Amino acid sequence: NEGNEYFREKDYRRAVIAYSEALKKNCEDPELNAVLHTNRGAAQFYLGNYRSALNDAIQAKKLKPTHLKAIIRGALCHMELKNFSEAIAWCEEGLQIDSKEKKLVEVRAKADKLKVNIKAVQHDFSTRWQGRAAMGIGLLCERNIKLVLEPSNEEEEISDGLAELSIDGFHSDNATGAKVHLDADGNLNWPVLFLYPEHEQTDFIAAFHENSRFIDHLMVMFAELPPWDLERKYLPSNIELYFEDEERAEMYKLNPEHTLLQVLQHQRYFVKAGTPTVLAFVKHSPFSKKYFSGKKVHRL
């Protein structure tokens, strides 16, 4: 009820906190938990935390597969994340429950249109940006940065190519559209994704200067504690950062005093989909100890 009140007041951060506190009570009523996940997802959505919102929609759907509000929210999240195929799949799942659900019909039509348009964009993009992609390769080679291209579906190919490197300084302020770009001083600025496995949350920095230190960003990001940190333990001095070497199933602990460029130049760091990713944990937390149990961890 408290979360709903905050939501009505459009105080979405406090709504997220309230719903999270309710979920921590571990109520045995799956329907109530589905509502809590759906409501928290809605609050996260309005805060622009689309991945967190999607995670809540997924959890709600697991608890109650026919929960239309959760399915609608999941479809909307996929639209914001430009996962049009997934958005269509969620819409179709919901329309099997209610074939006349207006919102799902609208989202389904919009997703279909955008999925078709993306193919035309891909062709135009590859033609106009071929030269810039070559220059992008040169800039990455100079810095000894390794980029991996692993598109998971057709519409993501456009965001996975080396042509993403923009040399005219353009970059979108949208988390899913941000690109690595070259500034006027010849330095690269990268979109960087922070993952918080313990809470299934994410942070996104659209333009992380290659010569900026991680500690400097942590000081800004956690100047105020995030609403999901109910135990108030995510302090800059208490956070450890890692990256994963998926090929070897090994983890590397970062030195927060290092710059982004120093990390990207590590021989086992591979940038996927044009977006460097790091994982954040609380020092010596029970979750951290469990997560790293049995894993080989290197220190930079």
Side-chain angles (χ1 to χ4, degrees), residues 1-153:
N1 290 339
E2 183 180 312
N4 291 346
E5 187 63 33
Y6 284 131
F7 194 95
R8 281 192 291 270
E9 295 171 359
K10 298 185 179 180
D11 191 343
Y12 301 120
R13 291 190 182 278
R14 285 197 173 126
V16 167
I17 292 172
Y19 295 134
S20 297
E21 288 178 346
L23 284 164
K24 284 201 167 189
K25 299 298 181 183
N26 295 320
C27 170
E28 294 182 0
D29 182 348
E31 186 150 347
L32 178 56
N33 285 332
V35 171
L36 287 168
H37 275 293
T38 302
N39 290 2
R40 187 174 70 175
Q44 293 280 28
F45 184 89
Y46 286 114
L47 288 169
N49 300 331
Y50 302 122
R51 285 184 176 83
S52 297
L54 178 59
N55 286 336
D56 270 321
I58 291 169
Q59 290 303 315
K61 191 154 69 81
K62 284 181 180 177
L63 291 164
K64 187 180 178 183
T66 60
H67 196 26
L68 271 178
K69 284 188 177 180
I71 293 172
I72 292 170
R73 183 63 56 197
L76 290 171
C77 288
H78 277 303
M79 289 296 290
E80 293 293 338
L81 295 168
K82 296 182 173 56
N83 300 332
F84 304 126
S85 294
E86 287 84 350
I88 291 170
W90 277 63
C91 287
E92 289 179 344
E93 188 174 346
L95 289 170
Q96 287 179 0
I97 299 167
D98 183 354
S99 62
K100 296 180 180 179
E101 170 53 54
K102 185 178 178 181
K103 192 65 181 178
L104 289 175
V105 172
E106 290 175 357
V107 174
R108 175 73 166 81
K110 186 177 179 181
D112 267 333
K113 184 177 179 180
L114 289 171
K115 186 178 179 184
V116 171
N117 287 346
I118 207 81
K119 294 183 182 297
V121 172
Q122 283 178 321
H123 177 73
D124 182 55
F125 187 92
S126 62
T127 302
R128 289 187 296 111
W129 292 80
Q130 193 171 16
R132 293 189 176 190
M135 184 173 289
I137 293 171
L139 289 169
L140 297 180
C141 288
E142 286 175 11
R143 290 164 168 76
N144 194 28
I145 296 173
K146 298 163 286 298
L147 197 67
V148 177
L149 306 180
E150 289 185 345
S152 58
N153 55 45

Side-chain angles (χ1 to χ4, degrees), residues 147-153 155-164 272-274:
L147 197 67
V148 177
L149 306 180
E150 289 185 345
S152 58
N153 55 45
E155 66 260 26
E156 287 181 359
E157 288 179 8
I158 186 171
S159 63
D160 287 346
L162 279 173
E164 275 271 312
K272 292 189 176 181

Side-chain angles (χ1 to χ4, degrees), residues 186-248:
N187 298 305
L188 291 178
N189 291 263
W190 292 84
V192 176
L193 185 65
F194 287 76
L195 306 178
Y196 307 96
E198 182 173 359
H199 296 277
E200 296 183 340
Q201 300 287 333
T202 62
D203 270 326
F204 189 86
I205 298 175
F208 193 130
H209 192 286
E210 63 182 349
N211 293 323
S212 291
R213 303 180 306 166
F214 279 90
I215 186 61
D216 296 328
H217 280 280
L218 291 177
M219 295 297 289
V220 174
M221 292 160 63
F222 293 94
E224 294 184 8
L225 291 171
W228 43 263
D229 182 18
L230 302 179
E231 297 178 27
R232 306 178 67 81
K233 57 187 182 181
Y234 278 79
L235 304 171
S237 60
N238 207 28
I239 295 173
E240 294 181 332
L241 299 178
Y242 296 80
F243 73 81
E244 184 174 9
D245 182 347
E246 294 182 7
E247 183 181 329
R248 297 181 180 178

Side-chain angles (χ1 to χ4, degrees), residues 235-270:
L235 304 171
S237 60
N238 207 28
I239 295 173
E240 294 181 332
L241 299 178
Y242 296 80
F243 73 81
E244 184 174 9
D245 182 347
E246 294 182 7
E247 183 181 329
R248 297 181 180 178
E250 297 175 354
M251 304 291 292
Y252 287 82
K253 182 180 177 183
L254 312 186
N255 180 343
E257 299 289 335
H258 280 176
T259 65
L260 175 61
L261 181 59
Q262 286 177 295
V263 173
L264 297 184
Q265 290 177 329
H266 190 274
Q267 61 180 353
R268 296 306 305 170
Y269 197 98
F270 300 90

